[in-house]
Amino acid sequence: NAGVTQTPKFRILKIGQSMTLQCTQDMNHNYMYWYRQDPGMGLKLIYYSVGAGITDKGEVPNGYNVSRSTTEDFPLRLELAAPSQTSVYFCASSSEGNEQFFGPGTRLTVL
Amino acid sequence: GENVEQHPSTLSVQEGDSAVIKCTYSDSASNYFPWYKQELGKGPQLIIDIRSNVGEKKDQRIAVTLNKTAKHFSLHITETQPEDSAVYFCAASKGGGSYIPTFGRGTSLIVHP
């Protein structure tokens, strides 16, 4: 199993550009999550999904969108990138009531 | 909603000493308490977890204790080694279709050789 994979690993965006962060898991997990982690800070939940076709907002959803058309994929879309979205983004997956498996992260800089 | 407090935010120890990180939670319905270790430049990874029907769990040098009455749980690392240096996160969640964990703010553990 590859676990949770994220692409790209690094990205630099200009203000106002848009991009999609990709996340795929091969563990057949129902739950998937997107977090952002600012330097020296904890994990903030952006969006989550409890199954294909179902998504919900987390703590900091503004400026982001997600979709969950399949069990495996949970892409995160940034529209009109802003410097405040400079962060490291982690995708995670889990089965209900069990540990989360995290991807390696995407380091995003918005200039 | 659930609120998880984690202390200390930074912990510095000498190699071979023990380290203890403490978390408190607010929702008495929470029943799953994982601990994650995040090494520099990587995603968090589970190191140990405990469920509400158990008071203590050990895995080699790592142990977790849970006090449901007081709503707190702790991570204990004995005989610390430099490779234990990392950020540690606690979390709390409940089942029944509401499994969205709430994380503590993290503890940066530094083990000096």
Side-chain angles (χ1 to χ4, degrees), chain B residues 31-35 48-57 64-66 73:
Chain B
N31 56 15
Y32 178 61
F33 307 93
W35 285 91
I48 196 167
D49 56 10
I50 193 167
R51 298 188 186 272
S52 59
N53 57 347
V54 175
E56 183 176 2
K57 184 176 179 181
V64 57
T65 58
L66 172 64
F73 57 112

Side-chain angles (χ1 to χ4, degrees), chain A residues 35 37 48 96-100, chain B residues 36 38 51 96-97 99 103:
Chain A
Y35 294 90
Q37 186 176 35
Y48 66 95
E96 183 176 336
N98 291 305
E99 72 174 285
Q100 288 176 297
Chain B
Y36 294 88
Q38 185 179 27
R51 298 188 186 272
Y99 178 64
F103 282 85

Side-chain angles (χ1 to χ4, degrees), chain A:
Chain A
N1 284 352
V4 179
T5 57
Q6 291 183 240
T7 56
K9 285 187 169 56
F10 304 92
R11 183 73 186 266
I12 298 175
L13 280 182
K14 293 182 179 179
I15 295 172
Q17 287 185 320
S18 61
M19 76 166 292
T20 299
L21 282 67
Q22 301 292 344
C23 176
T24 300
Q25 54 94 6
D26 62 359
M27 295 171 282
N28 202 33
H29 286 161
N30 283 335
Y31 287 74
M32 295 189 75
Y33 318 78
W34 274 106
Y35 294 90
R36 62 175 286 172
Q37 186 176 35
D38 298 330
M41 302 295 285
L43 299 162
K44 293 185 178 179
L45 183 64
I46 305 171
Y47 271 95
Y48 66 95
S49 168
V50 301
I54 305 169
T55 62
D56 212 341
K57 296 178 181 178
E59 184 185 354
V60 289
N62 291 345
Y64 307 95
N65 273 302
V66 293
S67 60
R68 184 94 182 270
S69 56
T70 66
T71 298
E72 295 78 21
D73 300 306
F74 190 41
L76 177 71
R77 178 84 177 161
L78 278 72
E79 303 283 2
L80 297 175
S84 60
Q85 294 178 304
T86 293
S87 190
V88 180
Y89 291 84
F90 290 103
C91 179
S93 74
S94 74
S95 55
E96 183 176 336
N98 291 305
E99 72 174 285
Q100 288 176 297
F101 291 82
F102 286 83
T106 294
R107 188 173 299 273
L108 176 66
T109 302
V110 182
L111 299 173

